[in-house]
Amino acid sequence: MEHANHTALILVPLMSVVIIMMILMARKKQLFIRRIQGLGAIDEAIGRATEMGRPMLCCIGIGGLDVPTLQALAITSYIIKSSARFNTRAIVPVYDPQTYPIVEEAVREAYVSEGRPEQYLADDVRFLSNRQFAFAAATAGIIYREKVAASFLFGLFAAEALIFAETGQQVGAIQVAGTPSTTQIPFFIAACDYVIIGDEFYAASAYLSREPTLLGSMVGQDIAKGILITVILFGAALATFAPVLGKSFGALFNK
Amino acid sequence: MPVNAPSGPHIGMILLFALCSVAVLGLLMLLPQKIRRPIIRAITFLGGLYAAAEFFLPTYPQPTADNPEAIGNFLTPSVVPFGNFTNAILGWTVGLGVINLCQVHGKRIMKGAAGSFNSVAFFLSLILMTCIGILQKIHPNPLNKNIYDVLFTGALSNLDATMFSIVAFYIVSAAYRAFRIRSVEATLLLVTALIVMLGQISIGQWLTHWLPMTGFWHNIRIESIRSWILEIPNSAATRAIGFGLGIGLLAVALRIWLGLERGSYFDS
């Protein structure tokens, strides 16, 4: 089993305290957050699908019941709420049977919260397969057959990422993607119209909902990043100047 | 009798546990949402607290038969049973997935919708694979094994490989679009990709093979430039993204753990 080393023992609680403090602060005062272009494009993509009268695809990736998938589901929930207002159909393919009931519930709730429960179609939340390429084949098939006008790819992806993105490109869909899988980001950048990178993926629900609690957490993330950058710069300076400054630094670290 | 074969009391315990789980789930579903949410939050908090405590509490040597150098704390021995519990839940949810598939494809056949022959193929495949899978476990004779091999290794695995191989063609078409010179950034990308690709192949390495292997000129051999691009700027960017993702993950995990998450399925 993995256990905390000294660095994790200091940094993780420190960053956690910062994030929680900012969440509590955000409930009392308005915080400023920077603009994220990729997330701003979500409404544009929904609008395009509405104008074209074609459905949208919201894929939450091939993760199990974990934090990235829950985050992807939170973004999907926002997309469906927005699309429900314009009566635009959203198809949600599901890879993991564990997440299926949660996705179904979240999609239904999204329609209900917009006062459009009749728009929810059970067939549009589809468990396809929990084999990676069977899922890829089935999702690509949906993109082709339904000629989706917008494709939202948020969540964990592996080699199938490019299959989805290129198929969407072929049918002329506007595509917005975001993934914590760093190896798939270049494929999305090459094939999608808008890509959110790195921690923007985890900031998405805050950015979209403007909920104070989530905004506070987003500001906390930025401060934690600042702490990390300071530690890195300090470490780089020590590593650079240690030979010049002599043994005193070495003695400090050997204690 | 094999050592790990389930004995009578074991099966009884499993059935009792399954019945209790169903009863608890049923009870949760009957409860109004106002009461259900705090209960789910409390369970989430306790689960998160367990994982955090197991990770952060001081460790001491806990040698096992498999790993004599293992370390842990008093919570570590229960990690595996908790993992097994998760797997048991996963087993139930596979059934939910199959039910959904049957509903979607069943409706399509009943309506006689376009492409309903695909739904018939789904049912045939489902029934065939289930029957052969069970038969192969109960009667592992050569015939059953061969049929299973033909269906699984012969058909399914090759279909998977076919889909995977399509990625190669998609990479080419995506690369073509990405490398088209439309801006300064695209040009930089093209040049970098060209150097990395040339540095990877023998023809590319041959282009600068006449440069010495040592000294300053070694640095401008194409494979040296490729290694520098991959190990310095590329690693720095990937690590920066990784740090951001790690902090983002921590923030979302904290929000879910402490019940601070808002929106979508967490709160109205």
Side-chain angles (χ1 to χ4, degrees):
Chain A
M1 301 300 149
E2 292 272 333
H3 290 98
N5 58 18
H6 288 104
T7 317
L9 214 53
I10 297 166
L11 279 180
V12 175
L14 177 70
M15 288 176 184
S16 304
V17 168
V18 168
I19 292 167
I20 293 168
M21 269 175 55
M22 293 317 295
I23 289 173
L24 297 175
M25 261 178 74
R27 291 178 172 183
K28 289 175 190 159
K29 70 170 191 177
Q30 186 111 23
L31 296 170
F32 169 76
I33 52 165
R34 66 198 151 86
R35 184 177 146 71
I36 302 173
Q37 208 184 0
L39 294 172
I42 287 178
D43 290 327
E44 181 192 331
I46 296 169
R48 189 165 178 266
T50 308
E51 280 172 11
M52 294 175 85
R54 282 174 16 199
M56 311 181 306
L57 181 94
C58 303
C59 183
I60 58 161
I62 60 161
L65 193 51
D66 45 25
V67 173
T69 306
L70 288 177
Q71 182 63 19
L73 191 52
I75 301 168
T76 300
S77 204
Y78 168 83
I79 295 167
I80 290 173
K81 276 180 192 171
S82 300
S83 69
R85 278 174 230 144
F86 306 111
N87 202 7
T88 304
R89 197 175 143 218
I91 302 166
V92 188
V94 182
Y95 167 81
D96 183 40
Q98 226 180 338
T99 54
Y100 170 71
I102 299 167
V103 177
E104 192 189 28
E105 181 73 12
V107 172
R108 187 187 286 125
E109 260 186 38
Y111 281 112
V112 171
S113 70
E114 288 304 310
R116 310 277 174 93
E118 73 286 350
Q119 272 185 42
Y120 170 74
L121 298 172
D123 285 3
D124 283 346
V125 183
R126 301 179 196 170
F127 167 72
L128 298 175
S129 170
N130 60 351
R131 282 184 74 84
Q132 186 190 5
F133 290 107
F135 178 71
T139 307
I142 290 173
I143 295 172
Y144 267 125
R145 282 192 304 275
E146 303 280 354
K147 297 244 177 307
V148 298
S151 177
F152 300 99
L153 307 167
F154 289 100
L156 288 169
F157 289 92
E160 74 293 338
L162 194 61
I163 297 177
F164 299 158
E166 275 296 294
T167 314
Q169 178 78 31
Q170 283 170 12
V171 298
I174 181 167
Q175 301 194 94
V176 187
T179 178
S181 320
T182 42
T183 49
Q184 301 309 316
I185 293 172
F187 292 131
F188 278 148
I189 290 175
C192 295
D193 299 284
Y194 297 94
V195 183
I196 57 166
I197 298 173
D199 63 317
E200 287 176 357
F201 174 73
Y202 291 110
S205 54
Y207 187 88
L208 295 169
S209 68
R210 303 276 159 170
E211 168 71 41
T213 304
L214 304 186
L215 287 179
S217 137
M218 196 172 159
V219 175
Q221 270 174 245
D222 281 349
I223 295 173
K225 261 196 286 184
I227 294 172
L228 214 54
I229 290 167
T230 312
V231 171
I232 290 167
L233 289 176
F234 184 64
L238 282 185
T240 309
F241 295 112
V244 182
L245 294 170
K247 289 179 184 170
S248 51
F249 271 116
L252 191 73
F253 289 108
N254 287 334
K255 271 179 189 172
Chain B
M1 194 175 77
V3 179
N4 290 326
S7 54
H10 256 112
I11 293 170
M13 285 289 285
I14 292 166
L15 280 174
L16 184 70
F17 185 75
L19 279 172
C20 285
S21 306
V22 171
V24 169
L25 276 176
L27 199 67
L28 269 176
M29 296 306 289
L30 288 174
L31 286 172
Q33 217 167 47
K34 267 187 179 175
I35 303 171
R36 201 195 311 166
R37 278 215 163 111
I39 293 173
I40 293 171
R41 270 185 191 169
I43 294 169
T44 310
F45 178 76
L46 287 175
L49 188 66
Y50 167 79
E54 201 280 323
F55 183 70
F56 284 114
L57 283 180
T59 55
Y60 47 83
Q62 275 188 355
T64 58
D66 300 334
N67 184 6
E69 289 174 9
I71 55 163
N73 49 48
F74 74 100
L75 291 169
T76 308
S78 48
V79 169
V80 174
F82 265 101
N84 292 342
F85 181 68
T86 313
N87 287 340
I89 295 172
L90 180 69
W92 283 91
T93 53
V94 171
L96 284 176
V98 172
I99 291 170
N100 173 257
L101 276 174
C102 291
Q103 280 176 338
V104 170
H105 291 282
K107 272 184 205 165
R108 204 166 284 170
I109 293 171
M110 299 282 263
K111 282 182 193 166
S116 56
F117 57 89
N118 291 321
S119 302
V120 176
F122 158 74
F123 277 110
L124 284 177
S125 313
L126 181 74
I127 294 164
L128 200 64
M129 278 304 280
T130 311
C131 292
I132 289 298
I134 292 169
L135 260 178
Q136 199 242 348
K137 284 277 173 199
I138 299 171
H139 301 294
N141 55 35
L143 176 70
N144 290 339
K145 193 181 172 304
N146 284 343
I147 297 174
Y148 181 80
D149 280 350
V150 166
L151 290 174
F152 193 82
T153 320
L156 193 58
S157 298
N158 287 328
L159 287 170
D160 272 355
T162 307
M163 275 312 288
F164 190 29
S165 60
I166 290 172
V167 174
F169 299 100
Y170 283 147
I171 287 175
V172 175
S173 68
Y176 168 72
R177 277 199 310 279
F179 295 159
R180 263 184 306 177
I181 302 174
R182 285 175 299 183
S183 58
V184 179
E185 289 92 342
T187 315
L188 271 175
L189 191 67
L190 173 69
V191 173
T192 314
L194 200 66
I195 292 169
V196 172
M197 282 191 285
L198 285 174
Q200 203 81 23
I201 55 172
S202 41
I203 292 175
Q205 290 171 12
W206 175 81
L207 291 173
T208 52
H209 78 284
W210 47 273
L211 286 168
M213 289 290 281
T214 51
F216 171 77
W217 295 107
H218 168 70
N219 294 324
I220 53 168
R221 283 175 72 103
I222 203 144
E223 63 270 27
S224 303
I225 301 173
R226 179 202 70 107
S227 299
W228 182 82
I229 290 170
L230 289 180
E231 285 163 25
I232 311 294
N234 184 55
S235 294
T238 311
R239 279 182 202 163
I241 293 173
F243 280 134
L245 282 170
I247 294 168
L249 190 68
L250 177 71
V252 179
L254 273 173
R255 293 201 308 254
I256 295 172
W257 179 36
L258 300 174
L260 296 169
E261 185 68 338
R262 294 287 179 275
S264 78
Y265 42 88
F266 294 102
D267 212 326
S268 51

